[in-house]
Each structure stands twice: as C-alpha cells, then as structure tokens.
Amino acid sequence: MAAALLALCALASPAAALDRAAIERQFRGWLEQTVWPRASARGVSRGTFETAFAGVRLNWDLPDLVPPGTRPETPKQQRQAEFGQPAKYFNRGSVDGATSTGRQMARKHASALAATERATGVPGRIILGIWGRESGYGRVAIPHSAFEVLGTKGFMSTRAGYFTDELIAALEIAEAGHAPAGVMKSSWAGALGQPQFMPSNFLKYAADGTGDGHADIWRSEADTIASIGTYLARHGWQNGRDWGFEVTVPASVSCTLEGPDQGRRISEWEKLGITRVSGRAFPESERRGEGFLLMPAGRHGPAFIVTPNFYVLKEYNMSDLYALFVGHVGDRIQYGVGDFSAGWGAVGGLYRSDVAAMQRALERMGHDVGGADGLPGFKTRRSIGRWQEAQGRPATCFPETAMKSALR
C-alpha cells in the first residue's frame, strides 16, 4: 500500500508531469544552436565538441534545476554542506581526518609547498586546508561527467548563464588537451580535479608546479599545490598576515557589528573588550591591521576576529564555514591547536524555504539581508540581530525556529 501511494505521489508531482523526452530534444537543439557557435568561436573543433557530448543526457538528479516551462523555487532543504548546520560541518571525522592526512601530506610534499609559499606568499598549511576540504588530498572520487553536469545546468538551472560560460571553458580545456584522457570528471557543481577548480578558474589560475610545461590538476600533487597558491595570491592574499583568531566577545559588543563592511583596527576591537580565547595578545603586526568580527552562528557558537585573508579564502567558496574550516585545519596541521573553545549550538537546521521567508519579511522592514536565498549569511545574521534589538530582545543574530511566526 505504501509503495503504491508513493508511486501515485510521484506521478502527481510537477517533475513527473514533464515530457522529459521532449526536453531532451530541446537540450540537443540548445547544444547545436547556442553552445556550438560559441565554442567554435573560441577555437573548439567539431571533433572535440562531438566527443564531449557523445552519450551525454540531462542529469535530472542535479539540484537547482529549472526545466523549460517551470519557474524557479527556493529549495526546501539545504544540499550544500557549507551552508548547513555548523556542528555537522565541523564534525569530528572531517576535522580529524583532514588534519591527520594533512600532516602526512605536509611531510610528503614539503618541497612543493615551500616552493609555492615562496612564489605566492600563501602558507603551506592554508593550501593543505583547501586541498583536504576540496578532494581529500586527491583521494575522493569525482563521479560526474563534467559535460553532463555543465550541460544540464547550463540548459536548465537557476544560474544557466554562469554554467553555460563554464561549459564553454570546459570545451576549451578539452580542445587544448590539458586534461588526461578520461578524467574530465566533476562534482555535481562542475568543479574539476584535485583543487576542484571551475573550468574558467582552471584557465586563469592552473599552475605548473613541476616545471614540465603542463598544469595537471588531476594527477600532479605539485601542480595542485601551485594552482591553489596561485589562485589565492591572485585574489589578494596578504603575505605576513594570519587568517583570524578565535575570540571572546563580551555582551556589551553587539553581534550586529559583524561583517566585512564593518572593519576596524584590531587594536580598536581590543578596546571594546574583545580578547583571544588563548589568553595571548594579538600579534603587534596584526593589531595595526584591519580586522572584522565573524560570528557564523551568531551568539550560538564561537566568535572570531578575521583578517582580509579570511575573505580571500571565501573567494574559493563563498561560505563562512568553508573558510573557517580551511583556516582551522591549517592551524591544526602546523601548530597542533585543538578544537574551538566555544561549542556550536544546535542551530542551522531550518529549511532554506523557512529562512527565505524570514529574509523576505526582514526586507519588507527595510533590512538588507543580501537576498532572500535561504542562506544565513552575515547580512541576514546581523539583520536578525538588529530586528531583535528593535524589538527590545537580546540579539542572537541567527535564524531560529521560534522566529518563524514573527518573521513571515
């Protein structure tokens, strides 16, 4: 009975009502009429184009799809871990695994890491943190056909234009012969190789770390290391500065002061009563520099003063939790630091659709939440805090279930 009911529900769903065969034909027409002319103009041969799409069909299991004849909706659930529950993202296995393997890689690839640090100014521990998070130091299987993913999302997704551009870049990579045969595999988002570069980023930042004239981010650890370092350096990594420090924020300092647009000298944050949880003073060179308050779970988790380098890490993946994970794992690898002093509260479990409804309510009140996308970024967090303070409530700066009835 249950199986029959599920089958009836599936038949009644909007996705099931679509004529997928007809949409597949539209996809083939789009490849010929839109993608091929653009690819050809970029120097891609017909042979490369046909090889890339031989046997490729739409992948209906990818997220954020908008098939022809439908309208985009805010996803109910959060698929990308970087925007989910902080405690889950920093789970014991992920942190310890990235740290222990990272220490092995630090020893094994010490020469390549040192060479890249000299060339780019990016510390080896930071490169290791990214490498570990992106592909488990090259050990995680990358399952999808890049052309299937990018083709599907370029044809019918909420960011179709972006993914179409990335599809053209992937065809350029194939035409130039950068990728070894059979390895044009990607994540569900279309990212390639051990550093998980989007194709356009490969064309801009992939680097030769071995001196053999090739940038092989699929098989070469030295090229992967050099490519990550090059990416961060070109996005503005400041040599000589750290990424950030865990701090204690007194109740007198509002969590609404968070954000990269509210920076001040670290010495000024000190004057407000913010101190490092380690008990040590901020390095004198850092005290003179600009710092930013970061509270990724509001008052429900650890707090940080971060430097501009933190936001360079976010250029790799636009998530506070991602950048924090990379910096933290890097510190654990090199310095042997332990867990954050403050624990993560039980937050971050709301549906994206619930958070989006709160964001729209805050927008109607005049708050800048950074867009009603269902993701609790810093603009949403501090907007919630400002709303709470206006209501005479203590600011916690994070969306919570109890707010749903008031913010709708």
Side-chain angles (χ1 to χ4, degrees):
M1 175 67 82
L5 182 59
L6 287 172
L8 287 172
C9 290
L11 288 172
S13 71
L18 294 171
D19 185 346
R20 292 193 177 187
I23 293 173
E24 289 281 357
R25 290 192 293 272
Q26 292 179 50
F27 172 57
R28 303 310 301 189
W30 174 78
L31 289 175
E32 287 294 336
Q33 297 161 22
T34 300
V35 176
W36 166 240
R38 288 187 57 185
S40 179
R42 297 294 299 176
V44 176
S45 68
R46 185 68 192 183
T48 296
F49 179 83
E50 292 182 353
T51 298
F53 293 107
V56 167
R57 296 175 60 83
L58 293 171
N59 185 336
W60 293 88
D61 295 326
L62 296 175
D64 303 324
L65 299 184
V66 187
T70 66
R71 293 185 297 179
E73 297 179 355
T74 300
K76 186 176 183 181
Q77 291 183 301
Q78 177 53 260
R79 174 162 177 162
Q80 192 168 351
E82 283 78 10
F83 300 101
Q85 294 174 279
K88 187 175 180 179
Y89 193 74
F90 283 85
N91 68 80
R92 181 85 278 140
S94 293
V95 172
D96 288 351
T99 300
S100 61
T101 305
R103 288 173 181 157
Q104 297 171 26
M105 292 297 179
R107 294 188 294 270
K108 183 176 180 181
H109 300 290
S111 177
L113 289 162
T116 296
E117 186 165 349
R118 287 193 300 270
T120 66
V122 179
R125 75 182 195 279
I126 297 297
I127 294 171
L128 289 166
I130 288 180
W131 188 16
R133 187 65 206 178
E134 291 294 339
S135 66
Y137 306 98
R139 299 180 179 187
V140 173
I142 301 173
H144 300 290
S145 159
F147 296 111
E148 177 185 273
V149 168
L150 295 171
T152 298
K153 294 178 82 70
F155 176 65
M156 56 173 194
S157 78
T158 54
R159 301 172 65 197
Y162 166 77
F163 285 107
T164 300
D165 290 344
E166 293 297 338
L167 177 59
I168 302 301
L171 288 165
E172 291 182 67
I173 292 170
E175 179 66 30
H178 291 305
V183 300
M184 278 295 276
K185 299 290 186 179
S186 78
S187 69
W188 60 265
L192 307 172
Q194 295 189 44
Q196 284 290 272
F197 276 1
M198 293 303 291
S200 62
N201 284 334
F202 175 92
L203 295 174
K204 294 175 187 174
Y205 308 114
D208 175 14
T210 59
D212 65 357
H214 301 284
D216 184 350
I217 63 170
W218 294 271
R219 300 177 299 184
S220 170
E221 290 85 358
D223 289 1
T224 294
I225 289 166
S227 297
I228 294 171
T230 298
Y231 182 98
L232 295 177
R234 293 195 188 167
H235 281 82
W237 184 272
Q238 296 182 11
N239 192 5
R241 292 209 69 181
D242 210 322
W243 65 267
F245 309 88
E246 188 185 358
V247 297
T248 298
V249 179
S252 58
V253 177
S254 174
C255 52
T256 64
L257 295 177
E258 182 185 11
D261 54 352
Q262 299 192 99
R264 58 184 74 192
R265 288 179 182 268
I266 290 180
S267 59
E268 295 176 21
W269 289 114
E270 284 183 302
K271 291 176 183 177
L272 294 177
I274 290 178
T275 58
R276 293 177 66 183
V277 297
S278 65
R280 297 191 295 272
F282 290 99
E284 191 59 36
S285 59
E286 296 284 7
R287 294 184 70 249
R288 297 190 297 269
E290 191 173 28
F292 312 88
L293 181 62
L294 172 74
M295 302 181 74
R299 289 283 181 182
H300 304 294
F304 307 86
I305 293 294
V306 298
T307 77
N309 283 342
F310 178 85
Y311 295 100
V312 174
L313 294 178
K314 281 191 68 175
E315 291 292 333
Y316 211 100
N317 184 317
M318 291 303 295
S319 159
D320 290 327
L321 295 184
Y322 175 90
L324 189 58
F325 186 96
V326 165
H328 180 55
V329 166
D331 289 350
R332 291 172 73 97
I333 289 170
Q334 183 162 334
Y335 304 129
V337 301
D339 294 337
F340 296 133
S341 176
W344 298 104
V347 294
L350 289 172
Y351 288 137
R352 276 186 67 175
S353 50
D354 289 334
V355 176
M358 294 181 192
Q359 290 170 323
R360 287 190 289 270
L362 289 165
E363 285 180 328
R364 289 192 293 271
M365 298 176 195
H367 292 280
D368 176 10
V369 298
D373 56 5
L375 306 177
F378 75 90
K379 288 186 176 181
T380 294
R381 297 195 294 264
R382 71 188 186 193
S383 292
I384 287 173
R386 290 167 181 168
W387 168 74
Q388 290 172 314
E389 289 177 345
Q391 298 289 313
R393 308 177 187 182
T396 60
C397 297
F398 205 84
E400 303 165 30
T401 301
M403 300 174 185
K404 288 169 61 176
S405 60
L407 288 174
R408 60 182 179 184

